[in-house]
Amino acid sequence: MQPFVLPDFYMPYPARLNPHVQQAHRHTMAWARQMGMLDSPARPGGEIVWDEAELTAHDYPAMCAYTHPDCDGDELDLITDWYVWVFFFDDHFLAAFKRTGDRTGARAHLDRLALFMPFHGEPTPPAVNPVERGLADLWQRTVPAMSEHWLRRFVRNTRDLLDESMWELANISQGRVSNPIEYLEMRRKVGGAPWSANLVEHAVGAEVPVRLAATRTLQILSDSFSDGVHLRNDIFSYQREVEKEGELANCILVTEKFLGLPVQRAAEVTNDLLTSRLRQFELTAVHDLPRIFDHLGIDDTERATTLRYVKGLIDWQSGGHAWHMKSSRYMNTAPPGTRSLGGPTGLGTSAARLSTSASRANPALHRKDALDLSSLLGKPVEPHEQPSTYMPFAYRLSPHREASRKWLRRWTREAGMVDSDGRYGVWDERRFEDADLSLCAAVICPDAPVEEVNLASAWLTWGTFGDDYFPTVFGHDRDLGAAIRQVERLSAFMPLHLGQHTPAPKNPLESGLDRAWSHSVAVMTTHTRAILRGYVEDMLDSWLWELDVFLHRRIPDPVDYVEMRRRTFGGDLTTGLSYLSLAADGPPIPDGIYESRPLQALINTSTDAVTLTNDIHSYRKEVEFEGELLNGVIVVRQFLGCDLGEGMRVVGALRDARIRQFEHVRATELPVLYEDRRLDPAVCRQLDRYAQRLQDYISGVIHWHESVERYRAPVNHRLPTPSWLTPVGRIGPAHHLATPRA
């Protein structure tokens, strides 16, 4: 009995079948047997992973023929072999390590696989199992056609796909179901869709140009494509994974547990998120890609190459859906006595059959009770209670608090950010004092010397001022072009070389950045300055995104909102600046440690904890007094169709889940990282210090929100009514304005 009725899917693109599918059937069965994948036990004396009947039933050649409809026969054979290998790896890992809980054996297995992906033809060890034999063969057949840049991306995504199986194994061993944000982040790695996107480049002969590959626009296309692939798979594979295999990495299960929903409703919410991510892909492809082409001066050949890649991703999405509807690996039939989706049937028609329900897909976008912004923004917020905070950490206060407060008052006035004559209308004396950003610095840097507390105060003040400046100055005139030009000018105030000429500041935003930068970089290397400038430029780009969404009155996709919120709040800048200062004061930290999953999890969970806290505390200030809509509570209310109280509860629960995940990562995953990477004890102590700084960031910023006047209603009654609360027609579809940076 199926656990739920399949929801209506949004799939506007018809699936097509590659004419070489029968050749792929014959080839891949012979290849799998040659590699030893058939009738082979996962462990000596253990269960057989696959036999010929099971491989035939899964029908991976059909999957690849649907997802790569235009490549020739030899290319389809290669692509199909890759997918046979990756699915065999998954089932072999399940039988050999997940079910047995053998973490040591799993780690050794994964470490050896990395040896079979050499960059420059280095010798590889003899293969000792079907997974190694398959990878060695595929690598030799794939490498010649691609550049080293593509190979590095492909290796990174392949290693993510392999290595993050350890995350799934750890969760199964602990009986731990992840929170929704953690799940989506990790699913991209362990689910393999970024790896699939790389193979699309190979299959269609369209390697993404190097200068485009690292841009946010291409990253959004890859991420939204990946989320679409994985969320669809979660819906179809729920019965197999959760009920039969005991897997915990499935979005329907995560949604069930987190929101307390019955499985049918959880499946529908998962499908709503799938639809939202597909629409994000479309929005980015249609509106952002041409803009990034123009900005970078991409020539016609490179444009055609990139568009061929985008079309390949679309083909994969529709073809993957068609295959899920027919593969015996998944739940894809309506249980007796339930409704069916109806429509045409037969090879290649599943996408057309399902697209008839597109108008009903994603009720967050189509239902009658969607948020009415005209009756929400600028209107009194209904009485509500803020959710209580799970806070296991006590905040600590720097002994330099008062000295830093005096220093910041002088510094801010010298930069011209306190504007008593109202010329810019951003901050007066009262608004500056109400923010009390020296307190914020004092609680996130409790152990730092006074110079570091002052520097943190300066960056926090400049970032908060800038976040207020953009909607006040550029939102007032609805002048997006002026905001873009301002961002381009601000980069000139962050020179990489000491003594390099900078322009004279024309406004407090430029003056503040000029001063904060010069105070920060005197003892930095050129490389470190470039990293810091990247953090600042990412935040500036996010303010453009925020202004663009704001001007178009568009509530963002939930996933895009969470990921961009880290930048708009300055979380990436704050945590990155802290790491740079720590790395400069101690033993060298090995390459790749900062980018490792445990470190990135600590950074993202700490940042999400404080941004979601900000959304809760600032809701009334932003909605009633400023007419803002970029708030997590609004995003949740729109997506789930819930009232204010429930929206607050869900955002509070997300915040608390991220704090608990921070505890979990620090207590269990960080020690494993130390062991797996065989880190020097001095480096481990340095990383422990960084984890403590991130913990102080969580407890300190939450304490700051609970203490300052900035978010209290009586204070905000003094704010003038913004001009953008007057009625305005829709300008057009909102999109990402981020300049092309990595």
Side-chain angles (χ1 to χ4, degrees):
M1 184 70 177
Q2 290 185 182
F4 56 84
V5 178
L6 287 173
D8 295 340
F9 292 94
Y10 174 70
M11 180 43 65
Y13 313 108
R16 297 178 297 122
L17 189 69
N18 191 301
H20 303 290
V21 61
Q22 293 306 321
Q23 172 186 318
H25 271 289
R26 293 189 296 272
H27 165 86
T28 205
M29 182 63 72
W31 181 82
R33 187 171 295 284
Q34 180 185 355
M35 296 299 110
M37 295 176 182
L38 302 182
D39 304 318
S40 171
R43 303 171 75 93
E47 63 182 288
I48 298 296
V49 181
W50 282 356
D51 58 19
E52 184 171 327
E54 183 166 9
L55 179 56
T56 300
H58 290 171
D59 203 358
Y60 299 119
M63 184 198 94
C64 294
Y66 273 125
T67 55
H68 301 84
D70 297 321
C71 64
D72 64 27
D74 290 342
E75 182 69 20
L76 183 62
D77 289 347
L78 174 62
I79 295 297
T80 304
D81 291 348
W82 268 115
Y83 280 93
V84 168
W85 174 81
V86 82
F87 279 105
F88 180 82
F89 162 81
D90 192 49
D91 289 353
H92 175 273
F93 196 86
L94 170 69
F97 307 112
K98 286 183 180 178
R99 286 179 179 159
T100 62
D102 181 6
R103 185 186 170 280
T104 301
R107 181 74 267 167
H109 175 63
L110 296 176
D111 287 344
R112 271 186 58 86
L113 288 179
L115 302 176
F116 293 90
M117 296 182 287
F119 279 114
H120 303 292
E122 298 89 346
T124 60
V128 298
N129 59 53
V131 179
E132 293 180 358
R133 278 192 293 276
L135 181 56
D137 178 77
L138 290 166
W139 191 251
Q140 293 175 3
R141 294 161 59 194
T142 303
V143 165
M146 308 305 285
S147 71
E148 183 171 331
H149 182 265
W150 181 89
L151 288 173
R152 291 191 180 279
R153 288 191 283 118
F154 186 61
V155 166
R156 182 180 65 245
N157 287 329
T158 305
R159 286 179 174 171
D160 281 346
L161 182 150
L162 302 175
D163 290 351
E164 300 311 336
S165 298
M166 296 295 290
W167 173 78
E168 288 187 321
L169 177 58
N171 281 352
I172 290 172
S173 300
Q174 299 161 13
R176 178 177 177 270
V177 178
S178 57
N179 64 71
I181 300 175
E182 174 191 12
Y183 175 75
L184 287 171
E185 288 178 337
M186 290 307 303
R187 189 70 166 94
R188 286 178 191 166
K189 293 180 179 291
V190 77
W195 175 87
S196 294
N198 293 150
L199 283 178
V200 166
E201 294 177 73
H202 194 288
V204 301
E207 186 173 326
V208 175
V210 173
R211 55 185 175 153
L212 274 174
T215 62
R216 173 160 165 74
T217 300
L218 266 292
Q219 189 62 55
I220 295 169
L221 287 174
S222 176
D223 287 348
S224 53
F225 162 80
S226 299
D227 293 343
V229 170
H230 296 147
L231 292 168
R232 175 178 293 105
N233 179 265
D234 282 355
I235 294 171
F236 282 98
S237 66
Y238 176 91
Q239 186 174 37
R240 175 178 180 268
E241 292 180 346
V242 176
E243 295 189 346
K244 296 180 180 179
E245 297 178 352
E247 290 273 9
L248 301 179
N250 185 289
C251 192
I252 296 177
L253 179 65
V254 169
T255 303
E256 279 184 85
K257 301 299 183 184
F258 183 77
L259 294 177
L261 297 176
V263 64
Q264 181 69 51
R265 177 61 183 140
E268 291 163 357
V269 169
T270 300
N271 186 50
D272 289 345
L273 188 58
L274 164 60
T275 301
S276 185
R277 297 308 283 156
L278 294 180
R279 291 183 180 275
Q280 180 72 57
F281 180 95
E282 293 169 342
L283 186 70
T284 304
V286 171
H287 295 286
D288 294 355
L289 204 52
R291 182 174 303 207
I292 211 74
F293 286 163
D294 292 342
H295 185 89
L296 289 176
I298 300 297
D299 62 33
D300 289 345
T301 300
E302 290 177 317
R303 291 182 188 222
T305 297
T306 307
L307 291 174
R308 196 159 68 248
Y309 163 68
V310 172
K311 179 181 177 294
L313 296 181
I314 293 171
D315 287 337
W316 208 113
Q317 203 75 249
S318 57
H321 187 90
W323 177 70
H324 276 86
M325 288 297 295
K326 69 186 290 290
S327 174
S328 67
R329 186 179 177 93
Y330 302 110
M331 179 189 96
N332 48 30
T333 57
T338 64
R339 64 178 173 85
S340 66
L341 293 173
T345 59
L347 202 61
T349 62
S350 57
R353 175 165 55 91
L354 292 169
S355 66
T356 61
S357 63
S359 64
R360 289 174 288 146
N362 198 352
L365 298 175
H366 299 289
R367 60 171 176 267
K368 293 180 180 179
D369 63 335
L371 287 177
D372 178 4
L373 297 181
S374 64
S375 64
L376 180 70
L377 302 181
K379 304 299 189 295
V381 170
E382 61 196 84
H384 63 279
E385 290 186 8
Q386 292 184 355
S388 60
T389 305
Y390 172 72
M391 180 43 61
F393 319 127
Y395 78 89
R396 300 180 298 133
L397 186 66
S398 168
H400 307 299
R401 150 75 160 140
E402 288 304 321
S404 186
R405 186 208 295 266
K406 293 176 182 177
W407 181 89
L408 184 64
R409 283 173 176 160
R410 183 176 66 255
W411 185 88
T412 306
R413 284 159 180 75
E414 289 173 354
M417 285 187 252
V418 178
D419 179 44
S420 57
D421 65 5
R423 184 171 31 150
Y424 294 103
V426 181
W427 281 0
D428 57 15
E429 292 278 353
R430 185 64 181 273
R431 290 197 75 186
F432 166 68
E433 294 292 344
D434 287 342
D436 199 0
L437 290 154
S438 62
L439 170 63
C440 192
V443 288
I444 67 176
C445 303
D447 301 319
V450 66
E451 295 80 11
E452 190 172 334
V453 179
N454 289 345
L455 190 60
S457 296
W459 279 111
L460 289 168
T461 299
W462 180 79
T464 306
F465 177 83
D467 196 39
D468 288 347
Y469 185 96
F470 267 67
T472 301
V473 174
F474 303 118
H476 179 275
D477 298 326
R478 301 191 176 104
D479 193 345
L480 202 53
I484 295 171
R485 292 189 293 273
Q486 176 66 86
V487 165
E488 292 171 348
R489 250 186 76 82
L490 285 169
S491 289
F493 293 94
M494 296 182 287
L496 297 184
H497 303 286
L498 295 179
Q500 186 176 337
H501 173 74
T502 58
K506 292 183 177 180
N507 57 50
L509 192 65
E510 295 178 355
S511 177
L513 179 58
D514 186 43
R515 290 166 179 268
W517 183 261
S518 62
H519 288 162
S520 302
V521 301
V523 296
M524 288 183 176
T525 65
T526 301
H527 175 69
T528 306
R529 292 185 200 111
I531 295 173
L532 177 58
R533 185 166 74 174
Y535 290 140
V536 178
E537 288 177 334
D538 283 346
M539 184 168 69
L540 293 171
D541 290 342
S542 75
W543 290 347
L544 291 179
W545 170 83
E546 194 171 38
L547 182 64
D548 183 47
V549 171
F550 164 76
L551 290 175
H552 291 87
R553 292 294 191 265
R554 180 177 67 87
I555 298 176
D557 162 77
V559 179
D560 198 35
Y561 175 79
V562 168
E563 294 175 344
M564 287 303 291
R565 189 72 174 95
R566 296 167 186 163
R567 297 182 178 187
T568 63
F569 189 76
D572 290 351
L573 170 61
T574 303
T575 58
L577 188 61
S578 177
Y579 185 83
L580 292 177
S581 66
L582 188 75
D585 182 27
I589 298 175
D591 291 342
I593 294 298
Y594 184 76
E595 294 77 18
S596 67
R597 182 178 56 78
L599 259 291
Q600 288 300 305
L602 288 176
I603 292 166
N604 289 343
T605 52
S606 62
T607 304
D608 291 346
V610 300
T611 57
L612 294 168
T613 295
N614 179 266
D615 286 345
I616 291 169
H617 282 269
S618 66
Y619 181 85
R620 186 178 181 190
K621 169 182 175 288
E622 292 177 349
V623 172
E624 181 174 334
F625 299 105
E626 297 176 341
E628 288 272 10
L629 54 80
L630 279 166
N631 183 288
V633 179
I634 288 182
V635 173
V636 167
R637 290 184 64 187
Q638 171 79 349
F639 182 72
L640 294 179
C642 60
D643 60 19
L644 175 57
E646 179 65 6
M648 282 277 178
R649 188 197 69 79
V650 170
V651 172
L654 278 172
R655 183 259 320 278
D656 292 351
R658 294 300 265 173
I659 295 173
R660 288 187 168 92
Q661 186 188 342
F662 179 92
E663 289 184 287
H664 171 79
V665 172
R666 187 176 183 187
T668 64
E669 296 183 12
L670 208 55
V672 172
L673 174 70
Y674 298 165
E675 179 183 345
D676 286 348
R677 299 293 182 93
R678 300 178 176 87
L679 296 181
D680 183 271
V683 172
C684 297
R685 289 192 293 271
Q686 194 80 332
L687 294 174
D688 284 338
R689 287 178 58 202
Y690 184 56
Q692 180 61 50
R693 289 188 176 200
L694 294 176
Q695 179 176 304
D696 290 332
Y697 180 51
I698 296 173
S699 59
V701 175
I702 291 177
H703 170 73
W704 175 75
H705 276 90
E706 293 170 346
S707 303
V708 298
E709 295 295 316
R710 177 175 168 86
Y711 304 105
R712 303 193 194 285
V715 170
N716 290 296
H717 275 296
R718 301 195 312 266
L719 296 176
T721 302
S723 63
W724 51 84
L725 287 179
T726 57
V728 56
R730 182 169 176 79
I731 303 173
H735 43 277
H736 290 272
L737 285 159
T739 49
R741 303 187 180 99

